[in-house]
Amino acid sequence: MQVWAVANQKGGVGKTTTVVSIAGLLSEVGYRVLMVDLDPHGSLTSYFRFDPDEIELSAYDLFERPDLSSSQVNSLIVKTDSENIDLLPASTALATLERKAVGKEGLGLQVAKALRFLKDRYDYVIIDSPPVLGVLMVNALAACNHLIIPVQTEFLALKGLERMIRTIDMINRARKAKLNYTILPTFYDRRTQASVSSLRELHNVYGEKVSGAVVPVDTKFRNASIKGVVPSTLDSGSRGVHAYARLLRNLLEHRKGA
């Protein structure tokens, strides 16, 4: 089972879109996929028509009840309407974790421990992380084999990326194996100088860490979210889906070469 996390310390960069797009493409070729929503805002959970304010069992239980059994972890998972895609939903109660985590040890590995119970049930796990460095993002980074960092192609997003890279350096000092990552340019609009110059800057500074796939501004993503379906189901030929398909090919090739 491979675990990929999608994270950035800046919001609004396309994290949830990245999770659902990759999940959809993996499921279409027969992989069993689990999405994990660790963002208290619950955008991923809401995408699939579950209410983070009302849901009874969620990722919050991984922290509230740290000694869950295999059957209890499995009971937190809900099915989506997309074939081969399940969801470990978020609850807004996740927002209270930072306060509750003060003075507690070991909470940074709760997600990693829970996922061990699921290794025979799924081929891929994709984690949607909150845009804040805290116990939830630490869990996502500690649990994953590979990190995807969506970065909006505009100046302020590039500054946010610098913070994310410093966080990775910090995490790597605590991990046994170095965390590999891919920077994914998003919201690209080749008609604007801001997008063009930002993409050029990404390549100049981060080189081969920047994905060859560039996700364009694509209204089909919004249409897919309105319907609650993965983007490739709505329109497999859209520019955005093609970009994520290229990203996925690169990630799978990276895995084979690892």
Side-chain angles (χ1 to χ4, degrees):
M1 183 178 76
Q2 284 288 299
V3 182
W4 295 342
V6 180
N8 195 327
Q9 286 171 244
K10 184 182 185 302
V13 296
K15 290 188 287 81
T16 299
T17 297
T18 298
V19 172
V20 298
S21 296
I22 294 175
L25 291 166
L26 285 169
S27 72
E28 287 176 2
V29 292
Y31 288 117
R32 300 164 299 170
V33 183
L34 174 67
M35 304 175 299
V36 178
D37 192 353
L38 292 184
D39 191 338
H41 290 106
S43 295
L44 179 61
T45 300
S46 298
Y47 190 107
F48 290 96
R49 303 303 184 260
F50 298 99
D51 188 346
D53 292 320
E54 302 292 338
I55 201 158
E56 291 186 16
L57 299 175
S58 71
Y60 178 72
D61 291 270
L62 300 180
F63 302 91
E64 184 69 8
R65 299 185 286 160
D67 297 318
L68 291 178
S69 66
S70 174
S71 61
Q72 289 172 323
V73 170
N74 277 273
S75 72
L76 305 179
I77 295 168
V78 297
K79 292 188 174 298
T80 73
D81 290 334
S82 297
E83 187 176 3
N84 294 328
I85 302 178
D86 291 344
L87 171 68
L88 177 50
S91 164
T92 50
L94 286 169
T96 68
L97 274 182
E98 296 304 326
R99 174 174 50 82
K100 293 182 177 181
V102 176
K104 290 186 179 181
E105 296 184 0
L107 288 184
L109 296 175
Q110 286 305 112
V111 172
K113 289 193 294 184
L115 292 182
R116 291 174 193 152
F117 292 128
L118 304 174
K119 58 184 175 61
D120 295 325
R121 183 173 175 182
Y122 298 102
D123 301 301
Y124 286 89
V125 176
I126 309 175
I127 303 173
D128 194 359
S129 175
V132 178
L133 178 57
V135 66
L136 291 167
M137 182 181 287
V138 167
N139 265 269
L141 300 183
C144 73
N145 307 112
H146 195 93
L147 172 65
I148 302 164
I149 312 173
V151 179
Q152 188 173 356
T153 47
E154 56 103 38
F155 176 73
L156 290 179
L158 300 191
K159 301 302 290 184
L161 176 60
E162 295 175 8
R163 293 193 298 274
M164 193 68 217
I165 298 301
R166 288 196 293 269
T167 296
I168 294 171
D169 291 339
M170 177 189 71
I171 293 292
N172 277 337
R173 289 194 289 270
R175 284 174 59 109
K176 293 180 181 178
K178 186 177 180 181
L179 176 59
N180 288 312
Y181 63 90
T182 297
I183 297 169
L184 176 67
T186 59
F187 292 97
Y188 181 70
D189 186 346
R190 63 184 181 182
R191 299 169 300 179
T192 68
Q193 183 59 38
S195 271
V196 172
S197 60
S198 295
L199 182 60
R200 185 185 305 117
E201 182 71 6
L202 279 174
H203 283 289
N204 288 341
V205 175
Y206 298 102
E208 63 182 15
K209 288 294 185 181
V210 181
S211 172
V214 178
V215 181
V217 174
D218 190 341
T219 58
K220 297 295 178 64
F221 291 137
R222 186 189 316 119
N223 295 342
S225 68
I226 291 172
K227 294 180 179 294
V229 299
V230 296
S232 52
T233 296
L234 181 71
D235 186 350
S236 61
S238 72
R239 294 181 302 135
V241 169
H242 277 298
Y244 279 111
R246 181 178 180 184
L247 169 68
L248 181 57
R249 286 194 299 271
N250 294 342
L251 291 173
L252 295 177
E253 288 170 4
H254 178 273
R255 182 188 174 189
K256 289 179 182 178

